[in-house]
Amino acid sequence: MRTGQERAYERMLSVAVAALQEREPERLWPLMADVLPGVCGGEALIYKLDEWNESSGTLGLSPGVATAFDLLDEESLGLLRAGYPFAHHYTRGHGHAPVTARQAAGPEWSTSPTARLIHETINVDHVLAVPLPGTTAPITGCLIYRSGTDFDDDGIRFGQRLQPLLAAVEQHRQLLARWGHVVAAGDAPASPRELADDCDLTPRETTVLLLLGDALTAAAMGRRLGISDRTVHKHIEKIYRKLGTRDRLGTVLRAQQLGLLPRSTPPVAETGRA
């Protein structure tokens, strides 16, 4: 019989799969944020996907709390952007393991200005940080909020189990956004979405095509995308079929002709199946 956590993980996995089918990169995290707090035993979520500091950066919110945060002034938003106590915790070299606010700050957490702010704003008392592994800005990731009791060890371990899944979605979002920018900046005859639709390329295949243009091996692509080499090769074979090509060099050249890759992309040498 499946445990509650197994069911929660399967639900999160299905949402992640759905997110990877989205063509628009800005829609990926809202899909995740709609489900992530609940599967982690929380009530609300803030996600931050770029440099987190007190003066800049957009806060992504789970549904139901956006209105409350819209009422905050700049000083209060700056307090949230500061990422207390997690920014200090992770920059001190504690790795990227999920941790609660009480673990990171000790008893000072409950009397901190940040704790008072989130209690007054959305009536929650506890926070679990789930940073994205492998990022240079450690606070990049999710903050999950709940009231009542704090997140227990099982909840923290579950957050850690979700990290690779969240990292894969974020890597996909970044590649989709990059692909859209390079296509839009070129002399393509149509929008990035129209070009991909015309060639019947899925969002995942467009990201693999972009990495093909970067001359990455299948192993390197797999590490970037969080998938196996075998899955990468399957994507490449489908791209060949859809573009009517037979190898990497021909695929990049054909993609340039179609406007799917910028013409400044250097032709790649054949690297076998490495």
Side-chain angles (χ1 to χ4, degrees):
M1 182 180 295
R2 294 178 301 163
T3 65
Q5 281 200 356
E6 286 301 320
R7 290 193 295 271
Y9 183 80
E10 289 179 10
R11 185 183 182 200
M12 199 70 243
L13 181 60
S14 67
V15 173
V17 170
L20 295 178
Q21 304 306 311
E22 282 289 339
R23 182 73 67 192
E24 306 299 332
E26 63 272 13
R27 296 185 62 181
L28 271 67
W29 273 98
L31 281 174
M32 303 293 284
D34 191 23
V35 177
L36 187 55
V39 301
C40 290
E43 301 163 27
L45 174 144
I46 288 178
Y47 59 89
K48 190 69 173 60
L49 306 176
D50 48 15
E51 189 68 28
W52 197 315
N53 57 60
E54 296 180 26
S55 60
S56 64
T58 301
L59 302 175
L61 305 168
S62 57
V65 298
T67 302
F69 281 101
D70 284 343
L71 300 176
L72 296 180
D73 56 26
E74 282 301 316
E75 181 179 356
S76 297
L77 288 174
L79 193 61
L80 290 176
R81 291 192 185 105
Y84 175 84
F86 305 111
H88 182 63
H89 170 83
Y90 289 117
T91 54
R92 291 179 63 187
H94 291 287
H96 288 75
V99 66
T100 67
R102 187 169 295 277
Q103 288 174 327
E108 296 178 4
W109 161 249
S110 59
T111 58
S112 68
T114 303
R116 289 197 296 271
L117 175 63
I118 63 170
H119 180 78
E120 293 170 358
T121 304
I122 54 176
N123 195 31
V124 296
D125 308 293
H126 306 286
V127 192
L128 173 65
V130 184
L132 299 182
T135 55
T136 55
I139 196 61
T140 297
C142 305
L143 301 179
I144 302 168
Y145 298 87
R146 67 182 290 175
S147 57
T149 59
D150 202 354
F151 294 87
D152 59 16
D153 290 343
D154 286 342
I156 296 170
R157 283 192 292 268
F158 186 67
Q160 189 166 15
R161 186 182 180 189
L162 291 178
Q163 282 180 300
L165 190 64
L166 301 178
V169 170
E170 171 57 10
Q171 183 62 240
H172 184 72
R173 182 194 71 86
Q174 290 181 12
L175 288 170
L176 270 184
R178 178 187 155 202
W179 177 75
H181 288 319
V182 298
V183 171
D187 56 357
S191 71
R193 178 167 187 164
E194 289 171 334
L195 289 171
D197 288 344
D198 287 344
C199 296
D200 197 29
L201 292 175
T202 68
R204 198 56 150 173
E205 289 163 0
T206 58
T207 60
V208 172
L209 178 62
L210 180 64
L211 297 180
L212 274 176
D214 290 341
L216 296 186
T217 65
M221 291 185 206
R223 288 191 294 271
R224 287 282 298 273
L225 298 173
I227 57 180
S228 68
D229 296 8
R230 182 180 179 183
T231 301
V232 171
H233 286 302
K234 287 182 178 179
H235 286 311
I236 292 174
E237 289 168 3
K238 290 178 180 178
I239 293 170
Y240 288 176
R241 185 176 70 251
K242 292 178 180 181
L243 297 189
T245 55
R246 301 177 62 181
D247 54 43
R248 289 180 175 226
L249 177 58
T251 300
V252 170
L253 292 174
R254 178 59 175 157
Q256 290 174 338
Q257 293 172 352
L258 294 171
L260 291 164
L261 288 177
R263 293 187 181 276
S264 59
T265 300
V268 296
E270 289 302 312
T271 56
R273 296 182 66 85

